[in-house]
Amino acid sequence: MDRTAPLSPQALRDLTARDVMTAAPLTLEPGTKLSKAAELMEQKGIQHFPVVEGDRLVSMLGERHLRDAMPSVLTVDDPEARRRYLNV
């Protein structure tokens, strides 16, 4: 499918998850450090990761989860110090 061409209203109604999903997504394991997840998100431009154990999906990890795990900008001003916090 050409993702740059505009779709007609009917074509939009007919879209399925398979039409727009990433066929082989980058995944994380439950033991992955949040700092590593943040690094990968930044490097690869990814906003969400499937978290898998073996062949089983156990969760999804998104940018919001990382923001919630970090100290507030009101308590730790330095962005790098906030990121280091995720590595503990």
Side-chain angles (χ1 to χ4, degrees), residues 41 47-49 51 60-68:
M41 283 181 178
Q47 296 176 341
H48 298 88
F49 283 103
V51 180
M60 292 293 292
L61 178 72
E63 288 179 313
R64 181 176 178 185
H65 297 107
L66 296 181
R67 281 193 311 269
D68 289 349

Side-chain angles (χ1 to χ4, degrees), residues 39-48 63:
E39 180 183 316
L40 287 169
M41 283 181 178
E42 189 174 312
Q43 287 175 352
K44 307 278 186 187
I46 297 171
Q47 296 176 341
H48 298 88
E63 288 179 313

Side-chain angles (χ1 to χ4, degrees), residues 64-85:
R64 181 176 178 185
H65 297 107
L66 296 181
R67 281 193 311 269
D68 289 349
M70 287 179 151
S72 166
V73 294
L74 299 175
T75 58
V76 179
D77 191 33
D78 178 31
E80 194 53 41
R82 292 177 62 227
R83 183 177 303 222
R84 282 193 305 272
Y85 180 83

Side-chain angles (χ1 to χ4, degrees), residues 1 4 16 50 78 85:
M1 173 204 286
T4 60
T16 65
D78 178 31
Y85 180 83

